Amino acid sequence: MKIIIAGAGEVGFHLAKLLSYEAQDITLIDTDKESLSYADNHLDIRVLRGDATSIEVLKEARVENSELVIGVTASETTNLTLCLLAKQLGCERTIARISNTEFMDNRDVIKFDELGIDELISPEELAATEIQLLLNQSAFNDTYEFEEGLLTMIGVFLPKSAPFVGKMVKEAATIFPELHFMPIALQRMGTQFTVIPRGDTIFKEGDQVYFITSAGGVDELYKLTGMQKREIKNVMILGGSKVGYKTARDLCTKKFNVKLIERNKEKAFDIADDIPHALVINGDGRNVELLDVESL
């Protein structure tokens, strides 16, 4: 598969690395010579220095023969323009990284695919959503929903008290036949290796296990892992970045009590005006006295 990635920053480099490991034909475009040189020396990919919105640069990257173009530069405008041009020049599919979450909220109104942009991704949106999922499943340390919650992937460290610690996967299935979840991956404590569980795989204390389950299976996992679900209503957010701002806004709409600490005075006042239901504090989150005063 021929893939063009625009943006050799952390996201672009990581994508290029993962896709190159899958033997994909990757071309990485950026204006920064140093970033491209690093990628060229460490990855088996083609690098191209230039403006990703330049038609000549895209033609040099053979965009007309590409199956996918991904725009992940720091500029939202560049990413959107790139996708529009790439589609017009013959690329099959395009993905644009954005920071303005209004685009995500209005995908049903603005037909981005008709403009040549097949998919939008927002790191801020993904991070805010992940935080909310973790708050809803407070005992688990990783969670992701598929098909609007029809299936949920949950990650949890197994405590010693979990009933199936020391048992094989097939034994746990026999002892608890009514359960509605399946282990799909686990990482042994103290190692960096991920294991795909099979029938004879033994659950061990301290394993980080990922389960896939339906909505009803989440409550069963609480019982079997020995975890307790605690209702969380008070949330403190340090920093009014795009992620912090969106998280605070979304949590306030869901009736969480939100305190947000922002060092920049002007930014703090702007956030307070935009999110009236959040308590915005202008201060340094590293200040222990401030945290004590605010009972944080």
Side-chain angles (χ1 to χ4, degrees), residues 3-22 26-30 32-47 70-74 97 121:
I3 302 172
I4 296 175
I5 300 173
E10 290 185 10
V11 176
F13 179 85
H14 186 64
L15 277 174
K17 180 174 69 172
L18 293 179
L19 293 171
S20 66
Y21 287 168
E22 297 178 3
I26 307 297
T27 298
L28 182 63
I29 302 175
D30 202 289
D32 187 80
K33 182 179 179 180
E34 187 175 337
S35 297
L36 286 180
S37 177
Y38 182 83
D40 192 28
N41 291 331
H42 290 80
L43 303 176
D44 183 19
I45 63 174
R46 179 191 179 204
V47 299
I70 307 173
V72 287
T73 72
R97 173 188 177 180
I121 55 172

Side-chain angles (χ1 to χ4, degrees), residues 100-157:
N100 185 353
T101 56
E102 280 188 335
F103 291 150
M104 305 293 287
D105 298 334
N106 292 280
R107 279 178 293 185
D108 294 336
V109 178
I110 308 299
K111 306 299 182 183
F112 288 98
D113 56 334
E114 295 179 6
L115 299 175
I117 305 164
D118 294 304
E119 192 66 48
L120 296 172
I121 55 172
S122 168
E124 293 81 9
E125 174 85 17
L126 293 171
T129 300
E130 179 72 10
I131 290 169
Q132 291 182 61
L133 286 172
L134 289 172
L135 289 175
N136 290 332
Q137 310 294 348
S138 58
F140 306 122
N141 55 35
D142 201 356
T143 180
Y144 188 83
E145 289 187 351
F146 300 91
E147 296 296 326
E148 299 182 349
L150 291 178
L151 288 176
T152 302
M153 184 190 75
I154 289 175
V156 62
F157 281 105

Side-chain angles (χ1 to χ4, degrees), residues 26 55 63 65 84 104 125 194 208 214 285:
I26 307 297
I55 295 175
V63 67
N65 297 322
L84 186 151
M104 305 293 287
E125 174 85 17
T194 299
Q208 168 76 9
S214 60

Side-chain angles (χ1 to χ4, degrees), residues 186-212:
L186 67 82
Q187 185 177 37
R188 290 285 183 226
M189 184 171 62
T191 74
Q192 296 180 339
F193 300 106
T194 299
V195 177
I196 305 301
R198 303 187 182 279
D200 58 354
T201 302
I202 298 175
F203 292 112
K204 295 183 179 180
E205 179 186 355
D207 281 351
Q208 168 76 9
V209 185
Y210 292 89
F211 297 93
I212 194 79

Side-chain angles (χ1 to χ4, degrees), residues 5-8 29-31 50-54 58 69-86 94-99 103 117:
I5 300 173
I29 302 175
D30 202 289
T31 56
D51 183 353
T53 61
S54 165
L58 290 176
V69 166
I70 307 173
V72 287
T73 72
S75 168
E76 178 178 79
T77 302
T78 297
N79 298 334
L80 294 171
T81 304
L82 162 68
C83 290
L84 186 151
L85 293 173
T94 61
I95 299 175
R97 173 188 177 180
I98 61 169
S99 55
F103 291 150
I117 305 164

